[in-house]
C-alpha cells in the first residue's frame, strides 16, 4: 500500500508535463497560422478558436480606451482579420447614365414650360374678348402709325395727328362694312331667284351629264338636305336667340379696339418703355433692341398684306363683274377680308366666288371664275408678296401652313389671322436676341495679344416705336 501514493504522484506529474507541452505546441501553431486569412474554420479546431477569441477579448479589455474627447488621440484599431469584406455602394447620381440624366433635366423643364403655356392659354380663353380687341388694335395701329408719323414730320401736334388718323381710319372701315351690308340687302332677292334658277340648271346638267345621275338620286339628295335642315332647326333657333349676346360682345370688342388704338397711336412709346421696366435689368438691353425690330416686322406685314389683299380684291372683283356674276362688289370685299388669313383665306374666298358663279350663271361661268381666281392668286404668290413684303417677314411656307392650322384649331378664325404675324414677329425677336447674346459674349471674352477693339455705333432702341 505504500507504493500506491508514489505511483499516483508520478502519474500526476507526467500528465502535468504533457499538458504543458501540448499548450506550448498549440501556442506555436497559433503563432505560425496567425496571418493566414483564408484558413478554413473546421470543427476540430473550434475549441482552440474559442479559446483564442477569449484570449483576444481579455487582452483588449486590458488595453485602456483612447477616445478623442479624453485626450487619447484619434487612432482607430483595424478590423479583425475574420471580419467580412463589404463593397461600398456607388453614388446614385453616378449610377444613372449620362444620357438619361440629360433627358430627365430636359423633360422637367419642358413640363414646366408646357404647364406655363397651358395656364397662359386658359387665362387668354377666359378674357378672349379683351385679347382679340387688343390684338386687333395692334394690327390697326401698325397700319395707321406711319400716317401719324408723317403728319408729325409736317409739324402737326401729336394729339391732332392721332385724332385725324384714327377718325379717318375708322370712318373708312365703317363705310366699307356698311357698303357690304347694303349691297347684300339690295341683291338678296335677285340672288335668291338666280340661285333657284342655277339649281334647276345644275339639275338638268346632272341628268344629261355622262355621270349617269338619275332623277331619284337627285331627289334623295334634296330630301337629305331638307331633313338635315329640319333636324337642326332647334340649333338654328338657339343660335338666333344667342345673336343678341353676340351683338353685345361685338359692340364691346369694337369699342375696346377703338380705345386701344387711340392710346397706342398717341402714347405707344411710353407704353413700351413702361413694359420694358417690367423685364429684369440683365435682359432689358436685349428686349429694348428687339422691340423696335418686332414692331417694324409687324408694320411691314400688315401694310404688305393690306396692299396684296386690295390688289386681289380689285382684280378678282373686276373679273367676276365682267363675267356677270351677281354681287361682285360684296364678293370682292369678302376676298379682301379673307386675304388676311394666309393660304386658307384665298382658297375659301375663291371657292365662294366659284360657287356663286356656278349656282347663278352655270358651269361655264364657274370655270372661268375659277381661272380668274387661280391666275390672280398665282401672280400674288410669286410676284406681289415677294416684292411687297420682301425680307421683312420672310417665313417658310411650311411654318405658315402649320401656324395657320394651329391657330385655327386653338381659336378659330381669330387664331388663324393672328398666327402668321405672331410667327413672323417671334422669328425676328429670336434672331435679334441670338445675335445680341453672341455680341455680348464677344465683348466679355478676353482679347488676344495685340488685338484692338473696334467701336460700333449703338442701335437706337427707340427707332420704329409707336
Amino acid at each position: 500500500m505504500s507504493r500506491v501514493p508514489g505511483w499516483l504522484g508520478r502519474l500526476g506529474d507526467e500528465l502535468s508535463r504533457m499538458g504543458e507541452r501540448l499548450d506550448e505546441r498549440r501556442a506555436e501553431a497559433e503563432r505560425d497560422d496567425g496571418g493566414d486569412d483564408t484558413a478554413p474554420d473546421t470543427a476540430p479546431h473550434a475549441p482552440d478558436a474559442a479559446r483564442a477569441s477569449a484570449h483576444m477579448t481579455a487582452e483588449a479589455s486590458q488595453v485602456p480606451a483612447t477616445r478623442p474627447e479624453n485626450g487619447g488621440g484619434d487612432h482607430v484599431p483595424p478590423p479583425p482579420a475574420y471580419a467580412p469584406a463589404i463593397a461600398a455602394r456607388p453614388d446614385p447620381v453616378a449610377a444613372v447614365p449620362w444620357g438619361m440624366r440629360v433627358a430627365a433635366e430636359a423633360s422637367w423643364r419642358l413640363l414646366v414650360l408646357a404647364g406655363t403655356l397651358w395656364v397662359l392659354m386658359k387665362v387668354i380663353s377666359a378674357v378672349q374678348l379683351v385679347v382679340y380687341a387688343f390684338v386687333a388694335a395692334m394690327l390697326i395701329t401698325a397700319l395707321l402709325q406711319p400716317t401719324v408719323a408723317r403728319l408729325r414730320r409736317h409739324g402737326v401736334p401729336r394729339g391732332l395727328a392721332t385724332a385725324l388718323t384714327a377718325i379717318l381710319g375708322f370712318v373708312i372701315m365703317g363705310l366699307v362694312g356698311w357698303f357690304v351690308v347694303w349691297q347684300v340687302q339690295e341683291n338678296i332677292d335677285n340672288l335668291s331667284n338666280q340661285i333657284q334658277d342655277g339649281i334647276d340648271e345644275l339639275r338638268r346638267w346632272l341628268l344629261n351629264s355622262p355621270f349617269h345621275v338619275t332623277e331619284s338620286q337627285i331627289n334623295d339628295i334634296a330630301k337629305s338636305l331638307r331633313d338635315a335642315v329640319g333636324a337642326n332647326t332647334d340649333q338654328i333657333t338657339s343660335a338666333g336667340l344667342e345673336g343678341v349676346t353676340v351683338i353685345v360682345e361685338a359692340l364691346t370688342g369694337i369699342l375696346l379696339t377703338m380705345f386701344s388704338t387711340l392710346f397706342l397711336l398717341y402714347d405707344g412709346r411710353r407704353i413700351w418703355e413702361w413694359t420694358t421696366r417690367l423685364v429684369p435689368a440683365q435682359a432689358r438691353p436685349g428686349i429694348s433692341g428687339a422691340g423696335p425690330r418686332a414692331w417694324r416686322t409687324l408694320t411691314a406685314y400688315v401694310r404688305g398684306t393690306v396692299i396684296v389683299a386690295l390688289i386681289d380684291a380689285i382684280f378678282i372683283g373686276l373679273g367676276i363683274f365682267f363675267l356677270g356674276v351677281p354681287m361682285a362688289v360684296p364678293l370682292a370685299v369678302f376676298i379682301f377680308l379673307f386675304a388676311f388669313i394666309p393660304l386658307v383665306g384665298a382658297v375659301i374666298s375663291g371657292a365662294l366666288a366659284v360657287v356663286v358663279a356656278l349656282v347663278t350663271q352655270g358651269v361655264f361661268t364657274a370655270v372661268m371664275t375659277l381661272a380668274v381666281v387661280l391666275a390672280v392668286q398665282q401672280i400674288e404668290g410669286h410676284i406681289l408678296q415677294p416684292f411687297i413684303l420682301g425680307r421683312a417677314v420672310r417665313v417658310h411656307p411650311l411654318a405658315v401652313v402649320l401656324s395657320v392650322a394651329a391657330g385655327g384649331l386653338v381659336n378659330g378664325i381669330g387664331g388663324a389671322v393672328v398666327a402668321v404675324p405672331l410667327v413672323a414677329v417671334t422669328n425676328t425677336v429670336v434672331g435679334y436676341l441670338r445675335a445680341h447674346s453672341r455680341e455680348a459674349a464677344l465683348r466679355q471674352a478676353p482679347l488676344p495679344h495685340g488685338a484692338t477693339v473696334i467701336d460700333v455705333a449703338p442701335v437706337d432702341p427707340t427707332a420704329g416705336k409707336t
Side-chain angles (χ1 to χ4, degrees), residues 59-75 77:
E59 289 181 354
S61 62
Q62 296 175 4
V63 178
T66 57
R67 298 178 181 272
E69 57 270 16
N70 295 332
D74 56 353
H75 175 69

Side-chain angles (χ1 to χ4, degrees), residues 3 20 39 78 86 126 145 199 250 289 379 392 395 438:
R3 295 180 179 179
E20 292 177 358
I86 300 176
Q145 191 270 336
I199 291 174
I379 295 173
V395 180
R438 189 182 302 114

